[in-house]
Amino acid sequence: RRPRRVALAIRRGRNAAAMGKKHKPRPDDRARVVDAGDSGGKVKKKKANGATMKASRRKGGGASANGDGRPYDPSRTLSKPAPPPPTYTPSVPTGAYITPEHDEYDACVARSYVGFVFDPPRVLPDELHADVAAAFKTMARRGLFTRDVLAAGKTVSPTFVSRTLVGERGMTYHYQKLRIFALPWSDEDAPEGSPLRVVRRLNDAMKRRSRALLMRHGDARVGDVTGSCEFNVTLINLMEPERKESVALKDEGQFGMGKASVSWHSDSSLQDTSTVAVYHQTSGGIDGDDTSWHIALKCLDGVTPALRVPLRSHSTYYMMRDFNLHHHHAVLNGDTRRFSSTHRVAVTARDTFDYIKGRCERALAVLPSLKWRAGRWPRGTEPPRDAATPLSNAVRVLGETHREVEFQWIRMFWLQGTRHAAQHDGYWTRRIEELTQAWDVMELGLRFAMDACARAADGKAKAEPRAFEMLRYLLETIAELREEHDARARSGAYARVPEDCTPVDRPAFDDASPLPRDLRPVLNTLESHRRKALDR
């Protein structure tokens, strides 16, 4: 049994791959590059008749044609959403979607897909490509990729892809009712030679390139707002061709583009107007010919043609500023094994360990007041300084934090199984145990609140109607959330993942717990106390 009366202790915590062959630029690389000037000078492509044209005019990803952008300032965001880019109507019928080989691709992207930028492999150094490829393989061999089991409404299902989150220490990412915890890439947590350090190098390269693109390509719709590209996490996906997947992939569904390993979506839990950078690598290698994987993009206007863009291994695409607000994207399945690293500026207001640690410390500070109200304060000693704090206020502060710690942190961590806990043994398991100890003390605080209500029912303390209401609301909410969590944990979706990826019921209860796991009897007792106290 964990000690109940324990303050939250916050600890401060504590291959090279061979270079690949030099990459030779290919004609289709030049055809798709957005701005060759950012990667070492302008590149021109000869026409059959000997004339030339700039690469940015041919079959490329899009960027704004509105001139140079303003200086990069990650702190500037939009006070209200900017209008979407204008629609594009092809001059001739194009079908449901167009590709970079279509004559109107460039014009469509420049007008309606402002902020989408595509880089060929040569923009980044060959050495980095080789090191990242080796790092991804090492991570896969160590079993760091697992399938997330997500919830949308009453539907619970595993992802088609396996994934892991890497980022700054203490970072998490919350999507579709699941919190995932970042493997920290810091030197303090990732030893020399760790693949996580290589991922951090890739992240640094993504930041430098994104800053250059944001400063070079302005967007009149948003003025001098660049948004941030200070990526603090990357979500790395491992995707297999359909024949190797244990779950049949679904059709893309809207435009007849084929099977999708990641369906239409926009990324969530991001800082406003922040850039997203996606690095793509397949088993074909930097000089391979595999372009079987595609990124699909669509505007939300219902008029502009969708895009289907082939991805060569080690290429990168960027979705800058508010692109994510006005467009959706999907990943169309290919014939080879694929890694993708999606670099994001995740929100930090409520999604870091430092945040929840601070909440716990503030909540535990009201414990003396609750102990005093429960009549458990040592006799003959001075009352706590906040003894006059209304019982309802103390109950609210403690109860809301208790609920968040249990359902957004402890249960989210253990919902992903023992393999997940083993993967995070170096950093997160210690901190989840610290949060569990804090939660245990908060359980004791709720017990004190119940005792204070019992004293009011017995006439030993003043009855506070608001305190009864607040405690009832919090206990009812906790009871409902536990029932909802239990139903999710029993879902048949978990039969489709390995046993060590199935939920573990934590935090644990026993006969010495301040309150039982099932709070329905406690609520009945509280109602009895309320009636007795208020009838006096």
Side-chain angles (χ1 to χ4, degrees):
R1 176 65 189 163
R2 300 180 301 272
R4 292 192 205 110
R5 306 184 186 188
V6 55
L8 179 64
I10 306 302
R11 301 187 183 96
R12 290 294 181 188
R14 353 174 248 279
N15 295 347
M19 288 179 58
K21 293 183 293 184
K22 283 291 184 180
H23 174 59
K24 298 178 181 179
R26 313 180 77 132
D28 51 346
D29 285 345
R30 293 195 294 269
R32 283 194 228 106
V33 67
V34 170
D35 194 327
D38 285 339
S39 58
K42 293 183 178 179
V43 176
K44 296 183 178 181
K45 181 178 179 179
K46 290 185 178 181
K47 286 185 176 180
N49 63 6
T52 63
M53 62 179 179
K54 293 182 180 179
S56 60
R57 298 274 299 166
R58 288 291 301 159
K59 312 303 188 265
S64 172
N66 296 320
D68 290 342
R70 300 292 190 269
Y72 171 67
D73 183 357
S75 66
R76 292 184 63 86
T77 59
L78 297 171
S79 58
K80 61 180 180 180
T87 60
Y88 182 85
T89 303
S91 59
V92 295
T94 62
Y97 62 89
I98 59 177
T99 71
E101 299 306 315
H102 195 280
D103 288 341
E104 297 192 50
Y105 176 87
D106 288 338
C108 178
V109 171
R111 179 175 176 84
S112 300
Y113 289 89
V114 177
F116 173 63
V117 176
F118 183 96
D119 272 352
R122 62 187 175 82
V123 174
L124 296 177
D126 286 357
E127 180 182 6
L128 180 61
H129 288 313
D131 288 350
V132 170
F136 287 168
K137 289 179 181 178
T138 298
M139 294 169 68
R141 188 171 62 251
R142 293 179 181 176
L144 296 184
F145 295 94
T146 55
R147 293 167 65 194
D148 291 340
V149 180
L150 308 176
K154 295 184 178 180
T155 301
V156 180
S157 59
T159 55
F160 292 112
V161 303
S162 301
R163 53 184 40 150
T164 192
L165 186 71
V166 184
E168 295 178 3
R169 64 191 335 245
M171 282 295 303
T172 70
Y173 184 72
H174 193 276
Y175 78 116
Q176 294 192 38
K177 298 185 179 181
L178 183 71
R179 182 179 303 281
I180 53 178
F181 298 78
L183 294 164
W185 56 34
S186 63
D187 289 349
E188 186 175 359
D189 302 290
E192 189 77 29
S194 169
L196 303 183
R197 290 197 183 192
V198 178
V199 174
R200 187 181 68 199
R201 282 174 51 208
L202 175 63
N203 191 70
D204 290 341
M206 296 290 99
K207 289 195 288 187
R208 288 192 297 270
R209 177 60 173 162
S210 296
R211 290 188 201 111
L213 292 171
L214 286 166
M215 289 188 288
R216 181 174 294 271
H217 301 293
D219 186 345
R221 294 178 310 108
V222 300
D224 59 358
V225 171
T226 62
S228 176
C229 63
E230 302 305 307
F231 306 126
N232 49 21
V233 294
T234 181
L235 184 63
I236 306 176
N237 286 346
L238 169 57
M239 311 178 195
E240 300 285 0
E242 185 181 13
R243 64 181 178 274
K244 294 184 179 180
E245 290 287 0
S246 59
V247 178
L249 299 176
K250 296 181 180 179
D251 287 327
E252 168 272 322
Q254 295 187 34
F255 305 102
M257 295 187 187
K259 302 292 185 180
S261 58
V262 180
S263 57
W264 289 110
H265 70 287
S266 60
D267 293 335
S268 60
S269 298
L270 305 177
Q271 292 185 22
D272 290 343
T273 65
S274 61
T275 291
V276 175
V278 184
Y279 177 84
H280 162 85
Q281 181 233 304
T282 63
S283 54
I286 192 170
D287 286 319
D289 294 323
D290 174 40
T291 54
S292 60
W293 290 87
H294 292 71
I295 177 70
L297 304 135
K298 69 174 181 178
C299 296
L300 302 184
D301 55 32
V303 176
T304 303
L307 306 182
R308 177 187 172 106
V309 182
L311 300 173
R312 183 172 298 284
S313 187
H314 304 286
S315 58
T316 308
Y317 57 91
Y318 302 83
M319 296 175 284
M320 301 193 301
R321 298 185 178 91
D322 66 345
F323 185 90
N324 197 54
L325 180 63
H326 302 297
H327 304 80
H328 285 176
H329 57 281
V331 178
L332 306 177
N333 218 61
D335 299 329
T336 56
R337 194 186 208 200
R338 180 201 188 219
F339 292 97
S340 67
S341 184
T342 303
H343 300 255
R344 294 172 161 96
V345 187
V347 295
T348 57
R350 300 175 67 90
D351 294 291
T352 67
F353 178 72
D354 285 344
Y355 155 76
I356 196 62
K357 173 189 72 176
R359 284 216 69 181
C360 287
E361 290 173 337
R362 291 189 292 274
L364 294 177
V366 307
L367 203 69
S369 174
L370 290 170
K371 189 173 182 179
W372 168 266
R373 295 301 189 98
R376 301 211 187 171
W377 196 255
R379 294 186 180 184
T381 60
E382 290 291 324
R385 287 179 296 178
D386 57 351
T389 300
L391 178 59
S392 58
N393 289 0
V395 169
R396 178 183 58 78
V397 170
L398 185 92
E400 289 179 351
T401 304
H402 171 283
R403 181 179 61 197
E404 183 173 7
V405 169
E406 178 174 342
F407 297 102
Q408 288 298 318
W409 293 85
I410 301 172
R411 291 196 182 277
M412 284 288 105
F413 185 84
W414 289 106
L415 186 69
Q416 299 169 70
T418 55
R419 182 193 297 185
H420 175 263
Q423 292 169 352
H424 292 279
D425 188 48
Y427 177 87
W428 275 110
T429 50
R430 296 196 303 269
R431 284 153 181 84
I432 293 299
E433 179 57 28
E434 291 167 2
L435 294 179
T436 303
Q437 290 178 357
W439 172 88
D440 225 8
V441 179
M442 286 184 265
E443 281 274 292
L444 184 61
L446 292 177
R447 174 75 259 179
F448 288 161
M450 281 292 296
D451 292 346
C453 290
R455 294 186 76 230
D458 293 338
K460 296 178 181 179
K462 180 182 177 182
E464 297 182 37
R466 176 64 177 160
F468 280 99
E469 293 172 6
M470 179 59 68
L471 185 56
R472 179 178 62 185
Y473 163 74
L474 289 167
L475 294 180
E476 283 180 344
T477 303
I478 293 169
E480 291 169 0
L481 288 173
R482 284 177 185 167
E483 291 165 0
E484 180 181 315
H485 176 86
D486 291 346
R488 177 176 178 173
R490 292 193 299 267
S491 168
Y494 289 102
R496 296 151 63 186
V497 299
E499 186 176 355
D500 59 358
C501 295
T502 59
V504 178
D505 188 18
R506 299 278 181 85
F509 292 80
D510 58 28
D511 293 340
S513 298
L515 292 173
R517 191 182 193 282
D518 181 5
L519 292 175
R520 296 301 178 183
V522 177
L523 283 162
N524 292 336
T525 301
L526 178 62
E527 177 61 16
S528 176
H529 291 335
R530 186 189 71 83
R531 290 178 179 175
K532 189 175 179 181
L534 299 184
D535 285 346
R536 286 186 174 278

